Amino acid sequence: MSDLASPRGPAGPRSVPPGGEAIDFVQLLTPDGARKRPAEYPLDVDADTLRGFYRDLVLLRRFDTEATALQRHGELGLWAPLLGQEAAQIGAGRALAPQDFAFPTFREHGLTWCRGVDPAQVLALFRGASLGGWDPAVHNLHLYSIVIGTQVLHAAGYAMGIQRDGHVGTGDPARDTAVLACFGDGATSQGDVNEAFVFASVFNLPVVFFCQNNQFAISEPNQRQSRIPLYRRASGFGFPGVRVDGNDVLAVYAVTRDALDRARRGEGPTFIEAYTYRMGAHTTSDDPSRYRPTGELEHWQQLDPIDRLVEYLLLTQTGDERYFAEIAAEADALGVRVREACRSIPNPLPESMFDHVHVEPHAQVDADRAWFRAYQSSFETAGGAA
Amino acid sequence: MLKEFRLPDAGEGLTEADIVSWRVRPGDTVAVNDVIVDIETAKSVVELPSPYAGVVVELLVAEGQTVPVGTPMIRIQTEAAVGADPDGGGRGNGSLPSGSGEPADSEGERTPMLVGYGPRVGAVSRRRRVEASAPAASAGEVSPQEVVAGLFRPMAKPPVRKLARDLGVDLNTVPPTGRGGVVTRQDVEAAAERAAAATVTADERVALRRETRVPVKGVRKLTAQAMVASAFSAPHVTEWVQVDVTRTVKLLHRLRRSPDFAGVRLTPLVMVARALLVAVRRHPQVNASWDEQAQEIVTKHYVNLGIAAATPRGLLVPVIPDADSLGLRELAQAISVLAKTARDGRTQPSEMSGGTITITNVGVFGVDGGTPILPPGQSAILAVGQVAERPWVHKGRVRPRQVTTLSLSFDHRIVDGELGSRVLADAAAILNDPGTALV
C-alpha cells in the first residue's frame, strides 16, 4: 500500500493507532510505573509532591466526570471533558511559578484547578450564568478562549508586555516571569497560532507554547493535519521543540518547568508537544464513536495517566491502599460539593451584562444600563397578569 | 421526597430526543450518576445518568417515544430531606462568583433546571425578584412544562376550542388545515368522527393484542420509499441461471493459501463481484441509469458497486466506489471493510450514495434465488444464492458439484432481454471457469 505514503497526495488516512508505533518522547514514568531518568530532564520530587500529583489527578478527573454528568442532568449547557489529559494539564499547571501567567483553552480544567479557581466558577460559564467565571488578574489565568487558537496570540502579546516591563532575565526568581500558552493539535493549523510563533521567535519572548496533542481536532485525526510531528515545526520558526509523554505527569512537569525557566532567564520560547489522548468526547455535543477507530480507546486506556502513578507510588511505598481510599473519599466529597455548587449558581440579573464592558465607568454604558433597567421594569407594571 | 428528571438538551440546541431504552424499572434503587436511560438525539445516542439517589417510582415516557426537551421522564423517590445528599460528603461551600450581586435562591426549592438552548417560545419570563417582597418561590420563572406547552399549544378560535371540549377531542392531536396552522371547526369534527370510528369493541381489542404495531421510521422508512420508488417506476425483469462453481471454489482455496492474500478475507461473494465487474466491462450499457427529466440514458464509465447488507439498523447498501479499478485483493479488502462497518452500524450516508450496480448476497440466508428490486437509479442488481453441493452432470456423469444460482433483475427500459442475458451468462461462465475471465 505504498500509495498511502506517496509524497504528492494528501496526507494519508491513519493506518496505525497513535501510540501503536514507537513514539519518541521524553518519558520519566512508563505505563508500568517504572521510573526513567533522562539526563536532560533531571527531576527529584519528594513523597509529598508525588502524592500531591496523585491527589490532583484523581480530584481533577472526578471534577471532570461530575461536570459531564451535570450536563446530562440538564444542569449545564455544554461541557468539554478532559478525560485522559489530566497528567498533561497538572504537570504543566504545577510547573508554573506564582507570578507566571497562563492562557487556557476551554478544556484546561486542570489549569484552573492548579491556579486555585473554584470548580463552581468554571461551571458558571458552562451553565450560561457567567460570561467568564473568574478574575484573570487574581489567578494569573486568562479566561477560557472558545475560538480556537486566539489565546496564543494574546499570550505572545502578554509576553511582550512582560519583556518590556523588564521582568525577564533579572535573575530574581520572584520577579522573572514566563507565559504559558495552551492550545491543542488542531490549533496548530490556525493562522493566529503561527503568527504567535513568529512574534515569539523574532522578539525572543518569554513564552512556552504548550500544545496538548490529544490526537483529534474534533473529529479530524492528527495524522491528517501534519506530515511531521508537531514539535518539529518549532525548528522552522527558530526555537526548540520537544515532545513529551502527555500521560506522564512527571515528564510533563519536568519538561514544562525547564521551558518556563528558560523563558524567565530570557532565552526565548519553547514549543512543547504533550502527546496524549482525549478519551472522552470533544464536547458533550459530540459523538466520538463516529470517527474513532475501533480499539484505539482501549489502547490508550492501557496508557492511563493515573494508573502508572498508582503503580509508582506502590513501588516506591509512597502511597498505599489506605491513602488511595482517603483520596477516593475526598473525590466523592468533591463530587457532591460540585453538584450542589452547580445547582446553586445564581442566575445573573440581565443587566449584569453591562458590568464588564469597560474597566472604568463609561457614560454610554451607564446610559444603556439605565435604559435597559427602565425597559425591564416597564414589563412588571404593565404585564403582571398576562 | 419525589423528584422528577426532565429530558435535558444533550447537545446544543436540540429540541427533542427518542427514548431508546430504559436501564431501570419501577422499584429499582439508583445512585447519583447511575445510567438510567439511553436516548437518541439528532446527533448521537447518549446515556443519561440519574441526578438523584433513591427508588424509581415511575417511568413517564416509553421506549420508542420521541419527546421534547423538558419532558418529565422518570419519578424518583429520594430518601432524605431536601438538600441532604444521600451519598454523603461535604456541603457546597458557596464560594461562587458574585457577578450579579444577586443572592443565590437556595431556599428549599432550587431553581428549575436548565432545559438547554432550544427555542423558548412564549418567553414572557419576568425575573423581577428584586421587587418581589417575600423570598418568592420561583416567581415568574417559566417552568419547562410551560415552555413545552407553549411550544405546542395548538391554535384555534374560542368557539372551536369549546366545540373540541364538548366533543372530547384533544386539540393537540388534531392536524390543523386552517391558514397558518389554525385548527378549524371541520378539523375538530373530522377528528371526532375518526375517534368514533376507532372505538373498538372488546373482541377487536383481543384481536389487536395478536398484532404488534411499530411506527415506520429510520432505515425502514427509507427502504420502503426506495423500494416503492423503484418498483413502480422501473419495469423489472428477472432472469436466473444455475451454475457449477466448483472451479471457483477450488481457486478460492488456492488463493487463500497464497502469501499474496495473507490476511485478506476471500469469500465466494468476492469472486461473484469480480465476475460481475468483468461482465460489466464487456457490456457497459448495463451499468446505466434512466434520466427521466432529460429523457436520456446515462451510461457510466465507472462502476460504483453496491453490496446489500443486513445490519442491526436494517437493510443498507454501502457502495465501493470505482470497484472496476480495484485488483482482486483490494476488492476483497474493500468488501470486508464495508461489511464490518455496516455490521457495526457505522456506515455513513455518504458511503451509501452513488451506486451504479448492486449485488445482494441472499445465499448467506440459505436460499437460492429471488427477484431483487433495483436500488433507485440503477439498472441492474444481481442476487447470489447459496453455494451448495448438488448432483450435477459433469463430464458425462452425475457428480456432487458446488452449485449456485444467480438471479439478475434489470430495468427493462434500458436493458433488453438480450443484454441482460449476456451479462448474466458471462458472469456465470466466469464463475464456472474463472480462466475465461482472462479472455
Side-chain angles (χ1 to χ4, degrees):
Chain A
M1 302 294 275
S2 61
D3 53 327
L4 292 185
S6 149
R8 286 169 58 206
R14 59 204 326 212
S15 46
V16 202
E21 70 270 47
I23 292 292
D24 174 30
F25 49 29
V26 179
Q27 191 180 56
L28 270 62
L29 207 52
T30 70
D32 305 326
R35 183 77 156 84
K36 287 161 68 175
R37 298 184 185 275
E40 319 89 282
Y41 296 102
L43 179 72
D44 282 306
V45 283
D46 58 26
D48 282 343
T49 311
L50 272 181
R51 283 196 289 262
F53 280 139
Y54 175 77
R55 178 175 174 274
D56 280 341
L57 294 179
V58 172
L59 295 190
L60 175 59
R61 178 169 288 184
R62 181 51 181 262
F63 167 52
D64 180 63
T65 48
E66 199 64 45
T68 304
L70 281 166
Q71 200 285 331
R72 299 304 188 215
H73 292 170
E75 301 287 353
L76 298 176
L78 179 75
W79 182 249
L82 65 77
L83 188 68
Q85 297 177 230
E86 295 89 348
Q89 296 188 11
I90 293 295
R94 288 300 177 209
L96 289 166
Q99 71 272 20
D100 292 343
F101 205 100
F103 288 77
T105 75
F106 51 81
R107 203 190 301 284
E108 252 68 85
H109 318 311
L111 222 52
T112 51
W113 174 263
C114 291
R115 296 308 258 179
V117 180
D118 191 279
Q121 289 178 285
V122 179
L123 295 182
L125 176 69
F126 290 93
R127 194 176 164 88
S130 163
L131 298 172
W134 59 89
D135 182 346
V138 169
H139 299 280
N140 275 19
L141 178 68
H142 193 259
L143 299 177
Y144 279 175
S145 290
I146 305 298
V147 178
I148 300 301
T150 50
Q151 75 281 7
V152 187
L153 263 184
H154 303 161
Y158 194 92
M160 290 174 83
I162 288 174
Q163 194 180 47
R164 279 151 182 70
D165 287 346
H167 296 319
V168 179
T170 68
D172 177 355
R175 179 174 173 189
D176 288 344
T177 304
V179 175
L180 185 76
C182 298
F183 51 99
D185 47 293
T188 61
S189 305
Q190 292 276 8
D192 306 29
V193 176
N194 288 273
E195 289 165 29
F197 293 164
V198 169
F199 273 77
S201 170
V202 169
F203 289 99
N204 208 39
L205 296 178
V207 57
V208 173
F209 296 110
F210 186 72
C211 172
Q212 286 167 74
N213 178 356
N214 71 9
Q215 310 302 333
F216 282 101
I218 305 188
S219 56
E220 187 75 347
N222 186 246
Q223 280 86 339
R224 297 227 299 246
Q225 301 173 58
S226 181
R227 287 194 177 281
I228 57 165
L230 296 175
Y231 75 99
R232 280 174 49 198
R233 288 190 179 173
S235 72
F237 289 96
F239 50 87
V242 55
R243 179 155 63 179
V244 60
D245 181 348
N247 286 9
D248 172 355
V249 70
L250 297 186
V252 177
Y253 175 75
V255 167
T256 314
R257 193 181 61 171
D258 184 71
L260 289 168
D261 280 346
R262 217 178 85 83
R264 290 190 209 101
R265 287 197 302 269
E267 292 169 24
T270 307
F271 182 105
I272 300 175
E273 177 187 357
Y275 198 81
T276 180
Y277 190 71
R278 191 192 77 215
M279 295 189 189
H282 171 69
T283 69
T284 45
S285 299
D286 168 48
D287 177 5
S289 70
R290 296 195 180 197
Y291 52 78
R292 190 172 270 165
T294 3
E296 192 176 82
L297 180 63
E298 293 72 14
H299 169 78
W300 279 92
Q301 280 166 343
Q302 304 293 314
L303 309 177
D304 188 274
I306 298 183
D307 291 351
R308 69 180 71 185
L309 195 55
V310 169
E311 291 300 320
Y312 185 59
L313 289 174
L314 287 171
L315 281 172
T316 54
Q317 301 188 335
T318 30
D320 54 17
E321 292 305 331
R322 220 188 52 162
Y323 173 71
F324 298 141
E326 251 170 54
I327 298 296
E330 194 181 350
D332 285 345
L334 175 70
V336 174
R337 182 168 94 68
V338 164
R339 252 180 348 251
E340 291 185 351
C342 176
R343 290 173 185 171
S344 53
I345 290 172
N347 284 339
L349 286 178
E351 65 185 73
S352 67
M353 66 176 149
F354 296 100
D355 291 351
H356 303 294
V357 180
H358 285 274
V359 176
E360 309 285 331
H362 191 287
Q364 183 63 53
V365 175
D366 290 345
D368 289 349
R369 183 190 285 113
W371 178 88
F372 186 71
R373 198 178 282 154
Y375 174 74
Q376 287 285 97
S377 52
S378 74
F379 276 109
E380 184 170 68
T381 44
Chain B
M1 64 183 304
L2 204 56
K3 299 275 197 180
E4 275 182 0
F5 180 28
R6 301 167 193 282
L7 176 69
D9 173 2
E12 292 162 90
L14 299 176
T15 54
E16 60 177 27
D18 297 343
I19 306 299
V20 177
S21 61
W22 281 105
R23 307 265 192 101
V24 293
R25 299 177 179 288
D28 287 357
T29 302
V30 292
V32 172
N33 291 345
D34 281 356
V35 174
I36 51 176
V37 63
D38 295 296
I39 61 165
E40 181 164 16
T41 69
K43 292 187 174 183
S44 57
V45 174
V46 171
E47 296 176 337
L48 292 185
S50 172
Y52 309 114
V55 176
V56 177
V57 176
E58 194 181 358
L59 306 181
L60 303 170
V61 290
E63 289 178 2
Q65 219 177 321
T66 304
V67 296
V69 164
T71 307
M73 296 186 295
I74 185 171
R75 288 207 178 98
I76 297 174
Q77 183 74 46
T78 59
E79 292 144 20
V82 190
D85 214 318
D87 57 356
R91 292 254 78 112
N93 71 354
S95 65
L96 299 169
S98 51
S100 67
E102 191 190 20
D105 49 350
S106 54
E107 290 293 296
E109 205 59 35
R110 64 180 185 83
T111 48
M113 58 171 247
L114 297 177
V115 290
Y117 304 143
R120 291 190 180 214
V121 177
V124 288
S125 154
R126 299 188 192 10
R127 300 159 186 260
R128 294 291 300 173
R129 296 192 199 113
V130 184
E131 301 286 325
S133 50
S138 64
E141 285 276 356
V142 175
S143 77
Q145 298 106 307
E146 285 168 327
V147 172
V148 172
L151 268 176
F152 295 103
R153 187 178 155 92
M155 290 182 289
K157 291 169 184 169
V160 178
R161 285 187 189 284
K162 180 173 186 311
L163 176 69
R165 217 173 27 246
D166 292 347
L167 294 176
V169 172
D170 178 1
L171 274 180
N172 287 298
T173 64
V174 181
T177 63
R179 252 200 8 221
V182 172
V183 178
T184 64
R185 177 172 289 273
Q186 287 76 20
D187 294 340
V188 171
E189 284 166 354
E193 271 174 37
R194 277 198 304 276
T199 311
V200 290
T201 65
D203 283 350
E204 283 167 333
R205 272 208 198 94
V206 172
L208 276 178
R209 245 179 269 137
R210 294 158 63 83
E211 300 170 350
T212 305
R213 300 184 76 87
V214 178
V216 176
K217 54 185 187 181
V219 172
R220 173 56 50 206
K221 192 166 177 175
L222 293 175
T223 303
Q225 280 165 359
M227 291 300 104
V228 169
S230 173
F232 298 107
S233 66
H236 284 57
V237 172
T238 306
E239 298 185 332
W240 56 93
V241 63
Q242 281 195 313
V243 51
D244 171 5
V245 295
T246 311
R247 274 181 284 221
T248 292
V249 171
K250 283 182 179 160
L251 175 63
L252 268 179
H253 286 311
R254 272 205 309 282
L255 290 178
R256 279 180 193 144
R257 282 196 300 274
S258 147
D260 290 344
F261 287 87
V264 179
R265 214 175 115 70
L266 276 176
T267 61
L269 176 65
V270 174
M271 306 308 271
V272 173
R274 190 80 178 136
L276 180 64
L277 288 167
V278 173
V280 168
R281 192 188 307 147
R282 291 177 188 166
H283 311 284
Q285 304 91 326
V286 76
N287 185 42
S289 67
W290 181 270
D291 189 337
E292 179 69 38
Q293 270 192 326
Q295 285 296 304
E296 286 171 345
I297 289 167
V298 187
T299 302
K300 315 283 170 66
H301 304 297
Y302 56 89
V303 183
N304 290 348
L305 181 66
I307 304 282
T311 76
R313 285 162 62 195
L315 171 69
L316 298 181
V317 189
V319 169
I320 301 170
D322 298 315
D324 51 331
S325 69
L326 300 179
L328 186 63
R329 185 187 156 86
E330 287 78 29
L331 184 66
Q333 273 169 336
I335 289 178
S336 96
V337 167
L338 159 153
K340 178 162 177 8
T341 310
R343 271 199 310 274
D344 293 350
R346 289 164 54 159
T347 305
Q348 302 297 314
S350 62
E351 294 165 338
M352 292 189 281
S353 60
T356 61
I357 194 165
T358 291
I359 295 179
T360 175
N361 186 9
V362 296
V364 293
F365 306 115
V367 301
D368 293 322
T371 57
I373 295 180
L374 295 161
Q378 300 182 23
S379 58
I381 177 170
L382 181 71
V384 193
Q386 61 176 328
V387 179
E389 271 199 334
R390 291 282 149 80
W392 196 261
V393 178
H394 179 69
K395 294 183 181 166
R397 291 176 169 222
V398 176
R399 299 271 189 191
R401 300 287 287 177
Q402 301 282 348
V403 175
T404 191
T405 306
L406 302 178
S407 319
L408 184 76
S409 289
F410 49 86
D411 182 345
H412 212 346
R413 291 174 301 181
I414 303 173
V415 181
D416 292 332
E418 182 192 355
L419 175 59
S421 304
R422 282 181 190 279
V423 170
L424 184 60
D426 265 9
I430 292 164
L431 290 170
N432 176 250
D433 181 0
T436 60
L438 298 173
V439 183

